Amino acid sequence: MKKAVLILVCGVIALLASAAPAADIAGQWRGQFDSQIGQQKYLFKFQVSEGKVTATATAEVERRAA
């Protein structure tokens, strides 16, 4: 599961960085959804400094017994 989350995070960062000027993507984006393993919550933070974009992402996955 960690590998899938990492791929998702990298894909979102690459898409946003290539699709918009750096000044337009600074800020936070939250997402959450239910999945087969429970509620998943994501927080993406984008910072812009001297034309360079840096990002962090956190994920919280609720594990439920099947």
Side-chain angles (χ1 to χ4, degrees):
M1 182 62 186
K2 288 181 183 180
K3 187 174 182 179
V5 171
L6 180 59
I7 291 170
L8 172 68
V9 169
C10 291
V12 169
I13 291 170
L15 178 64
L16 290 174
S18 66
D24 292 339
I25 66 170
Q28 294 185 9
W29 176 73
R30 293 179 185 269
Q32 68 182 47
F33 58 91
D34 288 322
S35 72
Q36 293 176 338
I37 61 170
Q39 181 76 20
Q40 296 188 36
K41 298 177 183 178
Y42 297 92
L43 173 63
F44 301 92
K45 295 181 183 179
F46 298 92
Q47 299 87 27
V48 179
S49 178
E50 299 177 6
K52 294 183 181 180
V53 177
T54 56
T56 57
T58 56
E60 179 182 325
V61 178
E62 178 185 309
R63 300 268 179 187
R64 295 183 185 165

